[in-house]
Structures are given as structure tokens and as C-alpha cells.
């Protein structure tokens, strides 16, 4: 009976996570449609409209007062407030880098960045949280590093977009470990903290007649106004889905989004996928396979540890 109850929940959770990652992957197309607008202006609109959209959702769900009370408690703690300021700046930088890359025909590098991200997170766990790295996860990290170094050597420069996306999102996750806000409250506070910068930039921009909304292009206007909803909706779906799934199972879905971006970059926007890209991505994919199998306890060293009762997650 217990299994019969859990299974539909996991199916529902899988469906919600699938929708979330499909939307995150499709965001590549959304930002590409705005490639005539500067990344700075897109980011400013994204922050403002995301803040407004999330607050509307909170009102509709009857969680507005409780969410803001939760935010006040976090801001009353100096350490938590500083962590949220850092998280806000990191996610803003991550958003900007992604938007800039997509609108400047660097979609393949964004895909690589989000493939690397889980491995960067592991590295941060070792460096900052002093976590132990099992053998196969060490091999996975070295493979990923080999792929990045190969691309660097062949192209003569670091894939800075990929590394910036992976590092900012990895650090964002690390900082968020010290906070306990719900998903909606978190994104509300993160956008609130950078709204003064976003509003100030837009006021300056429009005062100098440089804003995209002044062109009166209906498509651009609707896309900018909708940037808040397309930012928040995948997060809402993810938050709902991950509660119904084991975290280890939910983790496999994270590779769907960069895969979608990769295919969009190659087949929709004709970005060049060279032999260098193929070798680099092959190293990353193999690394992720080893990491996922190791994390799930499906490789020999972990099976032995499970059998001896020494392995603890």
C-alpha cells in the first residue's frame, strides 16, 4: 500500500521536473528572441518583472504575509542577510552571463557550463566544506578538467563563459546552504536586493532614450514583460517536483536542460560544433556518467562500502 501511494507521487514529481528542465532549456530560444536588446537591459527587466510576478503568485496562494515574514526573519540576522546579498549578486551575474552568451551566439558554451556545474559543486564541497571525494568522483572531476584543458589548448583561451556559469551557480548553491528560505521567498528576496540597481539602470537608460520599450515594438515589449514569468515558472515547477522525488533521482534531470541548449545551438541557430567540441563534451559526458553512477552507489567501491555498512550519505 505504501509503495502504491508513493509511486503516483514520484510519477507526478518526474512530470513536474521534466516540465521545469524543458522550460529551462527552452529559455535559450526566449533570450535569443531578444538579441537586439542589450544583456544589461534584459537582466534589469528580468529582475523587476520576476519580483512582481512572484509576489502575485504569493498573493494568489495566500502566502504573501507568511513569505514576507520569513524574509524579515532572515534579514534580521546579519549572517543570513549577508548570505542572501551574496546569493543575489551571484545569481544576477549568472543570469547576465547566460543572457549575454545566448544573444552573442555562444550557446554551446552555456551548455558546457551547465554540464560542468555538478562537478564544480563537488569541487566546492571539497574545498570549502571539507567533504571527502570518492575515487570514481575524483576520476570524473579529472576527466572534466581534461576536457576543459583540451578546449583551452586547442582554442588558445579558457572557455570563460562555461566556467563563469558553472562557478557562479556552484557558489550560489553553496551560499544558499546557510539559508532556510522557501523557493518563492528566496527568489523574492534575491530580486528585491538587486531591484535598486535594475531600476536605477533603466531610469538612466530611458532618460537617455536608449531603452528598448521606447521603440514600441510589440514583440520586444511582450518578451521583456514576460521575462519574470519565464524565470519564476520553472523554479516553481522544480520546487514542487523535487519534494515528491528522491534527491538522487531528481539529480539526473539536471542534464536535460544543457542537452536541449546544445541541440538548439547546433540545429536551430547553426553554431559550429567542431571536433574540439566533440572531444570536450565527450570528456564531460563520461565524467557525468561516472559521477552519477558513483553518487547512486552503482560502482564497485561504493557497493563495497554499502555492504560493509560504512557508507553514509
Amino acid at each position: 500500500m505504501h509503495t502504491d501511494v508513493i509511486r503516483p507521487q514520484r510519477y507526478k514529481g518526474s512530470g513536474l521536473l521534466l516540465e521545469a528542465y524543458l522550460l529551462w532549456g527552452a529559455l535559450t530560444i526566449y533570450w535569443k528572441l531578444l538579441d537586439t536588446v542589450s544583456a544589461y537591459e534584459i537582466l534589469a527587466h528580468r529582475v523587476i518583472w520576476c519580483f512582481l510576478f512572484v509576489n502575485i503568485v504569493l498573493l494568489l496562494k495566500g502566502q504573501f504575509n507568511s513569505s514576507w515574514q520569513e524574509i524579515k526573519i532572515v534579514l534580521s540576522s546579519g549572517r543570513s542577510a549577508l548570505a542572501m546579498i551574496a546569493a543575489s549578486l551571484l545569481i544576477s551575474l549568472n543570469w547576465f552571463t547566460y543572457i549575454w552568451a545566448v544573444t552573442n551566439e555562444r550557446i554551446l558554451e552555456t551548455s558546457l557550463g551547465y554540464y560542468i556545474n555538478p562537478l564544480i559543486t563537488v569541487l566546492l564541497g571539497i574545498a570549502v566544506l571539507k567533504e571527502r571525494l570518492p575515487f570514481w568522483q575524483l576520476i570524473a572531476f579529472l576527466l572534466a578538467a581534461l576536457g576543459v584543458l583540451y578546449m583551452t589548448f586547442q582554442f588558445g583561451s579558457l572557455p570563460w563563459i562555461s566556467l563563469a556559469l558553472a562557478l557562479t551557480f556552484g557558489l550560489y548553491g553553496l551560499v544558499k546552504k546557510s539559508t532556510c528560505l522557501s523557493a518563492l521567498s528566496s527568489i523574492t528576496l534575491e530580486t528585491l536586493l538587486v531591484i535598486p540597481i535594475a531600476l536605477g539602470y533603466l531610469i538612466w537608460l530611458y532618460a537617455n532614450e536608449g531603452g528598448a520599450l521606447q521603440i514600441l515594438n510589440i514583440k520586444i515589449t511582450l518578451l521583456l514583460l514576460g521575462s519574470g514569468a519565464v524565470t519564476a515558472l520553472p523554479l516553481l515547477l522544480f520546487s514542487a517536483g523535487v519534494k515528491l522525488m528522491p534527491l538522487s533521482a531528481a539529480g539526473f534531470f539536471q542534464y536535460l536542460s544543457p542537452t536541449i541548449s546544445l541541440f538548439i545551438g547546433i540545429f536551430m541557430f547553426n553554431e559550429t560544433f567542431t571536433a574540439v567540441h566533440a572531444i570536450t563534451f565527450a570528456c564531460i559526458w563520461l565524467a557525468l556518467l561516472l559521477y552519477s553512477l558513483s553518487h547512486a552507489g552503482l560502482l564497485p567501491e561504493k557497493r563495497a562500502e554499502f555492504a560493509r555498512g560504512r557508507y553514509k550519505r
Side-chain angles (χ1 to χ4, degrees):
M1 177 64 75
H2 181 63
T3 304
D4 292 339
V5 172
I6 291 176
R7 189 171 294 159
Q9 290 183 335
R10 290 189 175 180
Y11 287 150
K12 183 179 179 182
S14 297
L16 291 168
L17 288 176
L18 180 62
E19 291 172 13
Y21 281 104
L22 285 174
L23 285 173
W24 270 321
L27 272 180
T28 302
I29 301 173
Y30 195 93
W31 304 129
K32 190 69 174 177
L33 293 171
L34 284 164
D35 60 3
T36 57
V37 183
S38 78
Y40 297 103
E41 185 175 0
I42 296 172
L43 177 63
H45 279 285
R46 186 180 190 182
V47 167
I48 293 167
W49 299 118
C50 183
F51 176 78
L52 293 174
F53 179 83
V54 171
N55 277 277
I56 291 171
V57 172
L58 287 171
L59 280 169
L60 293 175
K61 296 182 71 174
Q63 298 175 5
F64 185 84
N65 291 333
S66 61
S67 181
W68 277 95
Q69 189 61 37
E70 191 181 1
I71 288 171
K72 288 177 183 177
I73 292 171
V74 168
L75 291 178
S76 67
S77 165
R79 183 176 180 180
S80 296
L82 286 174
M84 288 308 301
I85 291 171
S88 180
L89 293 173
L90 284 166
I91 198 62
S92 297
L93 182 57
N94 181 272
W95 285 355
F96 173 79
T97 305
Y98 184 78
I99 292 167
W100 185 91
V102 169
T103 54
N104 283 272
E105 300 178 355
R106 309 284 285 272
I107 295 173
L108 297 189
E109 289 183 58
T110 69
S111 175
L112 179 62
Y114 285 114
Y115 276 127
I116 293 173
N117 175 246
L119 302 169
I120 291 292
T121 301
V122 171
L123 180 63
L124 289 172
I126 298 167
V128 180
L129 303 178
K130 309 302 179 185
E131 294 177 351
R132 176 180 172 273
L133 190 64
F135 173 75
W136 286 110
Q137 292 186 24
L138 174 62
I139 296 299
F141 179 79
L142 292 175
L143 265 174
L146 179 64
V148 172
L149 288 173
Y150 177 76
M151 179 178 280
T152 301
F153 177 77
Q154 292 295 323
F155 289 158
S157 62
L158 276 171
W160 66 268
I161 291 173
S162 305
L163 295 175
L165 287 171
L167 282 169
T168 52
F169 202 75
L171 288 169
Y172 170 75
L174 183 65
V175 169
K176 289 289 290 291
K177 276 184 172 289
S178 63
T179 65
C180 55
L181 284 171
S182 63
L184 280 174
S185 298
S186 181
I187 196 169
T188 299
L189 181 53
E190 287 163 17
T191 49
L192 173 67
L193 290 170
V194 290
I195 268 185
I197 301 172
L199 276 174
Y201 174 74
L202 288 182
I203 290 170
W204 172 83
L205 187 65
Y206 285 88
N208 289 276
E209 299 183 351
L213 294 185
Q214 292 174 321
I215 302 173
L216 300 178
N217 182 306
I218 294 176
K219 184 193 84 169
I220 296 297
T221 299
L222 291 176
L223 288 171
L224 288 174
L225 294 178
S227 61
V230 300
T231 297
L233 279 174
L235 180 63
L236 295 173
L237 291 167
F238 174 82
S239 299
V242 78
K243 292 177 182 177
L244 303 174
M245 295 278 292
L247 195 58
S248 57
F252 285 98
F253 283 89
Q254 68 186 306
Y255 307 127
L256 180 60
S257 177
T259 302
I260 293 170
S261 295
L262 178 65
F263 290 152
I264 287 173
I266 296 171
F267 297 111
M268 287 190 65
F269 299 112
N270 301 315
E271 291 194 11
T272 304
F273 190 76
T274 65
V276 173
H277 286 108
I279 293 171
T280 299
F281 274 89
C283 288
I284 301 297
W285 289 331
L286 181 57
L288 289 174
L289 177 62
L290 289 175
Y291 169 77
S292 299
L293 292 175
S294 174
H295 185 70
L298 298 176
L299 291 178
E301 61 164 4
K302 280 199 171 181
R303 280 205 296 269
E305 289 180 353
F306 273 120
R308 293 193 296 268
R310 297 208 309 246
Y311 180 74
K312 295 180 181 179
R313 192 174 293 280

Short mmCIF file of all heavy atoms in Angstrom, two decimals, residues 167-216:
data_model
loop_
_atom_site.label_atom_id
_atom_site.label_comp_id
_atom_site.label_asym_id
_atom_site.label_seq_id
_atom_site.Cartn_x
_atom_site.Cartn_y
_atom_site.Cartn_z
N LEU A 167 30.76 28.31 -12.08
CA LEU A 167 31.25 28.82 -10.80
C LEU A 167 30.20 29.66 -10.08
O LEU A 167 30.00 29.52 -8.87
CB LEU A 167 32.53 29.63 -11.01
CG LEU A 167 33.81 28.82 -11.21
CD1 LEU A 167 34.95 29.71 -11.67
CD2 LEU A 167 34.19 28.09 -9.93
N THR A 168 29.54 30.57 -10.82
CA THR A 168 28.54 31.43 -10.17
C THR A 168 27.38 30.60 -9.64
O THR A 168 26.90 30.84 -8.53
CB THR A 168 28.01 32.51 -11.12
OG1 THR A 168 27.56 31.91 -12.36
CG2 THR A 168 29.08 33.55 -11.42
N PHE A 169 26.94 29.60 -10.41
CA PHE A 169 25.82 28.79 -9.93
C PHE A 169 26.26 27.86 -8.81
O PHE A 169 25.50 27.60 -7.86
CB PHE A 169 25.21 27.99 -11.09
CG PHE A 169 23.79 27.58 -10.81
CD1 PHE A 169 22.77 28.50 -10.88
CD2 PHE A 169 23.48 26.27 -10.47
CE1 PHE A 169 21.45 28.14 -10.61
CE2 PHE A 169 22.17 25.89 -10.19
CZ PHE A 169 21.15 26.83 -10.27
N GLY A 170 27.49 27.35 -8.90
CA GLY A 170 28.01 26.50 -7.83
C GLY A 170 28.16 27.26 -6.53
O GLY A 170 27.77 26.78 -5.46
N LEU A 171 28.72 28.47 -6.61
CA LEU A 171 28.87 29.31 -5.42
C LEU A 171 27.51 29.74 -4.88
O LEU A 171 27.32 29.84 -3.65
CB LEU A 171 29.71 30.54 -5.75
CG LEU A 171 31.21 30.28 -5.97
CD1 LEU A 171 31.89 31.50 -6.56
CD2 LEU A 171 31.88 29.88 -4.64
N TYR A 172 26.58 30.00 -5.78
CA TYR A 172 25.21 30.35 -5.38
C TYR A 172 24.61 29.23 -4.53
O TYR A 172 24.04 29.47 -3.47
CB TYR A 172 24.38 30.60 -6.64
CG TYR A 172 22.89 30.74 -6.41
CD1 TYR A 172 22.35 31.90 -5.86
CD2 TYR A 172 22.01 29.72 -6.78
CE1 TYR A 172 20.98 32.03 -5.66
CE2 TYR A 172 20.64 29.84 -6.60
CZ TYR A 172 20.13 31.00 -6.05
OH TYR A 172 18.78 31.13 -5.86
N GLY A 173 24.74 27.99 -4.99
CA GLY A 173 24.23 26.85 -4.24
C GLY A 173 24.91 26.70 -2.90
O GLY A 173 24.28 26.38 -1.89
N LEU A 174 26.23 26.96 -2.87
CA LEU A 174 26.99 26.86 -1.63
C LEU A 174 26.53 27.89 -0.61
O LEU A 174 26.32 27.58 0.57
CB LEU A 174 28.48 27.05 -1.93
CG LEU A 174 29.44 26.89 -0.75
CD1 LEU A 174 29.44 25.47 -0.23
CD2 LEU A 174 30.86 27.30 -1.18
N VAL A 175 26.34 29.13 -1.07
CA VAL A 175 25.89 30.20 -0.18
C VAL A 175 24.48 29.91 0.35
O VAL A 175 24.18 30.14 1.52
CB VAL A 175 25.91 31.56 -0.92
CG1 VAL A 175 25.19 32.64 -0.11
CG2 VAL A 175 27.35 31.98 -1.19
N LYS A 176 23.62 29.37 -0.52
CA LYS A 176 22.24 29.11 -0.13
C LYS A 176 22.14 28.01 0.93
O LYS A 176 21.11 27.89 1.58
CB LYS A 176 21.41 28.70 -1.36
CG LYS A 176 21.14 29.84 -2.34
CD LYS A 176 20.16 30.85 -1.80
CE LYS A 176 18.76 30.31 -1.72
NZ LYS A 176 18.16 30.06 -3.04
N LYS A 177 23.20 27.22 1.12
CA LYS A 177 23.18 26.19 2.15
C LYS A 177 23.02 26.78 3.55
O LYS A 177 22.54 26.12 4.47
CB LYS A 177 24.48 25.36 2.10
CG LYS A 177 24.45 24.22 1.08
CD LYS A 177 25.73 23.42 1.19
CE LYS A 177 25.66 22.17 0.32
NZ LYS A 177 24.74 21.17 0.86
N SER A 178 23.43 28.05 3.71
CA SER A 178 23.37 28.68 5.03
C SER A 178 22.05 29.41 5.27
O SER A 178 21.87 30.06 6.29
CB SER A 178 24.53 29.67 5.20
OG SER A 178 24.44 30.72 4.24
N THR A 179 21.12 29.32 4.32
CA THR A 179 19.82 29.96 4.48
C THR A 179 18.73 28.89 4.48
O THR A 179 18.95 27.76 4.05
CB THR A 179 19.54 30.97 3.36
OG1 THR A 179 19.45 30.28 2.10
CG2 THR A 179 20.67 32.00 3.27
N CYS A 180 17.54 29.27 4.94
CA CYS A 180 16.46 28.29 5.01
C CYS A 180 15.17 28.83 4.42
O CYS A 180 14.08 28.48 4.87
CB CYS A 180 16.25 27.85 6.47
SG CYS A 180 15.95 29.23 7.59
N LEU A 181 15.27 29.70 3.44
CA LEU A 181 14.08 30.27 2.81
C LEU A 181 13.44 29.28 1.85
O LEU A 181 14.13 28.49 1.20
CB LEU A 181 14.45 31.54 2.04
CG LEU A 181 14.70 32.81 2.86
CD1 LEU A 181 15.25 33.90 1.97
CD2 LEU A 181 13.42 33.29 3.54
N SER A 182 12.13 29.34 1.72
CA SER A 182 11.43 28.56 0.71
C SER A 182 11.78 29.13 -0.66
O SER A 182 12.32 30.25 -0.78
CB SER A 182 9.92 28.63 0.93
OG SER A 182 9.46 29.97 0.78
N ALA A 183 11.46 28.38 -1.72
CA ALA A 183 11.84 28.80 -3.08
C ALA A 183 11.25 30.16 -3.45
O ALA A 183 11.96 31.04 -3.96
CB ALA A 183 11.38 27.74 -4.08
N LEU A 184 9.96 30.36 -3.18
CA LEU A 184 9.32 31.63 -3.54
C LEU A 184 9.88 32.79 -2.72
O LEU A 184 10.14 33.87 -3.26
CB LEU A 184 7.81 31.53 -3.33
CG LEU A 184 7.01 30.81 -4.43
CD1 LEU A 184 5.56 30.67 -4.02
CD2 LEU A 184 7.11 31.57 -5.75
N SER A 185 10.06 32.58 -1.43
CA SER A 185 10.61 33.64 -0.58
C SER A 185 12.03 33.97 -1.00
O SER A 185 12.45 35.14 -0.99
CB SER A 185 10.59 33.20 0.88
OG SER A 185 9.27 32.99 1.33
N SER A 186 12.80 32.94 -1.37
CA SER A 186 14.18 33.13 -1.77
C SER A 186 14.30 33.99 -3.02
O SER A 186 15.06 34.97 -3.05
CB SER A 186 14.86 31.78 -2.00
OG SER A 186 16.21 31.96 -2.35
N ILE A 187 13.53 33.66 -4.04
CA ILE A 187 13.63 34.43 -5.29
C ILE A 187 13.07 35.83 -5.10
O ILE A 187 13.53 36.79 -5.72
CB ILE A 187 12.95 33.69 -6.46
CG1 ILE A 187 13.40 34.31 -7.80
CG2 ILE A 187 11.43 33.74 -6.35
CD1 ILE A 187 12.99 33.51 -9.00
N THR A 188 12.08 35.98 -4.20
CA THR A 188 11.56 37.31 -3.89
C THR A 188 12.65 38.18 -3.29
O THR A 188 12.86 39.33 -3.72
CB THR A 188 10.38 37.22 -2.88
OG1 THR A 188 9.34 36.45 -3.47
CG2 THR A 188 9.85 38.60 -2.54
N LEU A 189 13.37 37.64 -2.31
CA LEU A 189 14.42 38.42 -1.65
C LEU A 189 15.60 38.65 -2.58
O LEU A 189 16.17 39.75 -2.61
CB LEU A 189 14.87 37.69 -0.39
CG LEU A 189 15.97 38.38 0.44
CD1 LEU A 189 15.58 39.82 0.77
CD2 LEU A 189 16.24 37.60 1.71
N GLU A 190 15.97 37.65 -3.35
CA GLU A 190 17.12 37.79 -4.25
C GLU A 190 16.89 38.88 -5.29
O GLU A 190 17.79 39.66 -5.60
CB GLU A 190 17.41 36.46 -4.94
CG GLU A 190 18.03 35.42 -4.02
CD GLU A 190 17.92 34.01 -4.57
OE1 GLU A 190 17.67 33.86 -5.78
OE2 GLU A 190 18.08 33.05 -3.79
N THR A 191 15.68 38.95 -5.83
CA THR A 191 15.37 40.00 -6.80
C THR A 191 15.19 41.34 -6.11
O THR A 191 15.59 42.38 -6.65
CB THR A 191 14.12 39.64 -7.61
OG1 THR A 191 13.06 39.25 -6.72
CG2 THR A 191 14.40 38.51 -8.58
N LEU A 192 14.60 41.34 -4.91
CA LEU A 192 14.41 42.59 -4.17
C LEU A 192 15.74 43.30 -3.92
O LEU A 192 15.85 44.52 -4.05
CB LEU A 192 13.72 42.30 -2.83
CG LEU A 192 13.61 43.47 -1.84
CD1 LEU A 192 12.67 44.54 -2.39
CD2 LEU A 192 13.14 43.00 -0.48
N LEU A 193 16.77 42.52 -3.59
CA LEU A 193 18.06 43.09 -3.22
C LEU A 193 18.76 43.78 -4.39
O LEU A 193 19.58 44.68 -4.18
CB LEU A 193 18.96 42.00 -2.63
CG LEU A 193 18.55 41.49 -1.24
CD1 LEU A 193 19.36 40.26 -0.86
CD2 LEU A 193 18.71 42.58 -0.19
N VAL A 194 18.47 43.35 -5.62
CA VAL A 194 19.13 43.98 -6.78
C VAL A 194 18.17 44.90 -7.56
O VAL A 194 18.59 45.50 -8.55
CB VAL A 194 19.74 42.93 -7.73
CG1 VAL A 194 20.93 42.27 -7.09
CG2 VAL A 194 18.71 41.89 -8.16
N ILE A 195 16.92 45.01 -7.11
CA ILE A 195 15.97 45.89 -7.80
C ILE A 195 16.45 47.35 -7.84
O ILE A 195 16.29 48.03 -8.86
CB ILE A 195 14.56 45.77 -7.18
CG1 ILE A 195 13.77 44.70 -7.95
CG2 ILE A 195 13.80 47.09 -7.23
CD1 ILE A 195 12.34 44.55 -7.52
N PRO A 196 17.03 47.89 -6.75
CA PRO A 196 17.52 49.29 -6.84
C PRO A 196 18.51 49.49 -7.99
O PRO A 196 18.46 50.51 -8.69
CB PRO A 196 18.19 49.51 -5.48
CG PRO A 196 17.49 48.58 -4.56
CD PRO A 196 17.20 47.35 -5.39
N ILE A 197 19.39 48.51 -8.21
CA ILE A 197 20.36 48.62 -9.30
C ILE A 197 19.64 48.53 -10.64
O ILE A 197 19.90 49.32 -11.56
CB ILE A 197 21.43 47.50 -9.20
CG1 ILE A 197 22.17 47.60 -7.87
CG2 ILE A 197 22.40 47.57 -10.38
CD1 ILE A 197 23.11 46.44 -7.61
N ALA A 198 18.70 47.57 -10.75
CA ALA A 198 17.96 47.39 -12.01
C ALA A 198 17.13 48.62 -12.35
O ALA A 198 17.13 49.10 -13.49
CB ALA A 198 17.06 46.16 -11.91
N LEU A 199 16.41 49.14 -11.35
CA LEU A 199 15.59 50.33 -11.58
C LEU A 199 16.45 51.55 -11.92
O LEU A 199 16.12 52.32 -12.84
CB LEU A 199 14.75 50.63 -10.35
CG LEU A 199 13.44 49.87 -10.20
CD1 LEU A 199 12.79 50.18 -8.85
CD2 LEU A 199 12.47 50.21 -11.34
N GLY A 200 17.53 51.71 -11.19
CA GLY A 200 18.43 52.83 -11.46
C GLY A 200 18.98 52.80 -12.88
O GLY A 200 19.04 53.83 -13.57
N TYR A 201 19.36 51.59 -13.32
CA TYR A 201 19.89 51.45 -14.68
C TYR A 201 18.83 51.78 -15.73
O TYR A 201 19.10 52.51 -16.69
CB TYR A 201 20.41 50.02 -14.90
CG TYR A 201 20.84 49.77 -16.33
CD1 TYR A 201 22.02 50.31 -16.82
CD2 TYR A 201 20.05 49.02 -17.20
CE1 TYR A 201 22.42 50.11 -18.13
CE2 TYR A 201 20.43 48.80 -18.51
CZ TYR A 201 21.62 49.35 -18.97
OH TYR A 201 21.99 49.16 -20.27
N LEU A 202 17.60 51.26 -15.54
CA LEU A 202 16.54 51.52 -16.51
C LEU A 202 16.14 52.99 -16.54
O LEU A 202 15.87 53.55 -17.62
CB LEU A 202 15.32 50.65 -16.22
CG LEU A 202 15.46 49.16 -16.52
CD1 LEU A 202 14.15 48.42 -16.22
CD2 LEU A 202 15.86 48.92 -17.98
N ILE A 203 16.10 53.62 -15.38
CA ILE A 203 15.77 55.06 -15.34
C ILE A 203 16.82 55.85 -16.11
O ILE A 203 16.50 56.73 -16.92
CB ILE A 203 15.67 55.55 -13.88
CG1 ILE A 203 14.42 54.96 -13.22
CG2 ILE A 203 15.64 57.08 -13.82
CD1 ILE A 203 14.37 55.18 -11.72
N TRP A 204 18.08 55.52 -15.87
CA TRP A 204 19.16 56.21 -16.60
C TRP A 204 19.07 55.94 -18.10
O TRP A 204 19.21 56.85 -18.92
CB TRP A 204 20.51 55.73 -16.08
CG TRP A 204 21.68 56.25 -16.90
CD1 TRP A 204 22.28 57.45 -16.81
CD2 TRP A 204 22.32 55.55 -17.98
NE1 TRP A 204 23.27 57.56 -17.74
CE2 TRP A 204 23.32 56.41 -18.49
CE3 TRP A 204 22.15 54.30 -18.55
CZ2 TRP A 204 24.14 56.04 -19.54
CZ3 TRP A 204 22.97 53.93 -19.60
CH2 TRP A 204 23.96 54.79 -20.09
N LEU A 205 18.79 54.67 -18.44
CA LEU A 205 18.73 54.27 -19.85
C LEU A 205 17.61 54.99 -20.58
O LEU A 205 17.80 55.54 -21.67
CB LEU A 205 18.53 52.75 -19.94
CG LEU A 205 18.62 52.11 -21.32
CD1 LEU A 205 20.02 52.25 -21.89
CD2 LEU A 205 18.21 50.64 -21.26
N TYR A 206 16.42 55.01 -19.97
CA TYR A 206 15.27 55.62 -20.63
C TYR A 206 15.35 57.14 -20.62
O TYR A 206 14.82 57.81 -21.51
CB TYR A 206 13.97 55.12 -19.99
CG TYR A 206 13.65 53.71 -20.43
CD1 TYR A 206 14.15 52.62 -19.73
CD2 TYR A 206 12.90 53.45 -21.57
CE1 TYR A 206 13.89 51.32 -20.13
CE2 TYR A 206 12.63 52.16 -21.99
CZ TYR A 206 13.14 51.10 -21.26
OH TYR A 206 12.88 49.81 -21.67
N ALA A 207 16.04 57.71 -19.64
CA ALA A 207 16.25 59.16 -19.62
C ALA A 207 17.14 59.58 -20.78
O ALA A 207 17.04 60.71 -21.27
CB ALA A 207 16.88 59.58 -18.29
N ASN A 208 17.99 58.66 -21.21
CA ASN A 208 18.88 58.94 -22.34
C ASN A 208 18.34 58.35 -23.65
O ASN A 208 19.09 58.19 -24.63
CB ASN A 208 20.28 58.39 -22.06
CG ASN A 208 21.01 59.17 -20.99
OD1 ASN A 208 21.63 60.18 -21.27
ND2 ASN A 208 20.92 58.72 -19.74
N GLU A 209 17.06 58.00 -23.65
CA GLU A 209 16.35 57.49 -24.83
C GLU A 209 17.04 56.28 -25.45
O GLU A 209 17.14 56.16 -26.68
CB GLU A 209 16.20 58.61 -25.87
CG GLU A 209 15.39 59.79 -25.35
CD GLU A 209 15.17 60.85 -26.40
OE1 GLU A 209 15.79 60.77 -27.49
OE2 GLU A 209 14.38 61.78 -26.15
N GLY A 210 17.49 55.37 -24.58
CA GLY A 210 18.14 54.17 -25.09
C GLY A 210 17.42 52.89 -24.79
O GLY A 210 17.93 51.81 -25.08
N GLY A 211 16.24 52.99 -24.17
CA GLY A 211 15.53 51.79 -23.76
C GLY A 211 14.77 51.11 -24.89
O GLY A 211 14.24 51.77 -25.79
N ALA A 212 14.71 49.78 -24.82
CA ALA A 212 14.04 49.01 -25.87
C ALA A 212 12.54 49.27 -25.92
O ALA A 212 11.93 49.23 -26.98
CB ALA A 212 14.30 47.52 -25.65
N LEU A 213 11.91 49.55 -24.77
CA LEU A 213 10.47 49.77 -24.75
C LEU A 213 10.08 51.06 -25.47
O LEU A 213 8.92 51.22 -25.88
CB LEU A 213 9.95 49.81 -23.31
CG LEU A 213 10.06 48.51 -22.52
CD1 LEU A 213 9.41 48.65 -21.15
CD2 LEU A 213 9.41 47.34 -23.27
N GLN A 214 11.02 51.97 -25.63
CA GLN A 214 10.73 53.22 -26.33
C GLN A 214 10.58 53.03 -27.83
O GLN A 214 10.08 53.91 -28.52
CB GLN A 214 11.84 54.25 -26.03
CG GLN A 214 11.84 54.70 -24.57
CD GLN A 214 13.02 55.60 -24.25
OE1 GLN A 214 14.13 55.36 -24.72
NE2 GLN A 214 12.80 56.62 -23.44
N ILE A 215 11.03 51.87 -28.32
CA ILE A 215 10.92 51.60 -29.76
C ILE A 215 9.49 51.24 -30.14
O ILE A 215 9.10 51.29 -31.29
CB ILE A 215 11.88 50.45 -30.16
CG1 ILE A 215 13.32 50.83 -29.77
CG2 ILE A 215 11.81 50.13 -31.63
CD1 ILE A 215 14.32 49.71 -29.95
N LEU A 216 8.68 50.87 -29.14
CA LEU A 216 7.27 50.47 -29.34
C LEU A 216 7.14 49.25 -30.25
O LEU A 216 6.27 49.19 -31.11
CB LEU A 216 6.46 51.66 -29.91
CG LEU A 216 6.41 52.91 -29.02
CD1 LEU A 216 5.62 54.01 -29.70
CD2 LEU A 216 5.82 52.57 -27.66
#
